[in-house]
Amino acid sequence: MAARKPATKPRVKKCPECKGKGEITETVRVGARKGRATADQQTALCTACWGSGEATH
């Protein structure tokens, strides 16, 4: 009897927006009207893959 080959998982493409991390960084904006950008950044959920890190298209 031949030896069985291990099952391979299909390769999933990484999301181009977050590069497979699921999170992106956004600049913090302050102010009601113009939203002045500050030097601070915060992490946000990637809206292209909804945090999974996998490309949807």
Side-chain angles (χ1 to χ4, degrees):
M1 213 157 128
R4 296 183 85 181
K5 293 182 181 178
T8 58
K9 293 183 180 179
R11 287 209 146 182
V12 181
K13 294 182 182 177
K14 291 183 180 180
C15 176
E17 297 285 326
C18 64
K19 298 174 183 61
K21 294 181 183 177
E23 292 182 341
I24 56 173
T25 57
E26 291 188 354
T27 303
V28 175
R29 297 196 166 272
V30 179
R33 286 188 167 186
K34 295 184 180 180
R36 179 176 50 93
T38 63
D40 300 318
Q41 291 190 346
Q42 63 184 5
T43 59
L45 185 68
C46 179
T47 56
C49 66
W50 294 102
S52 67
E54 299 174 355
T56 56
H57 295 105

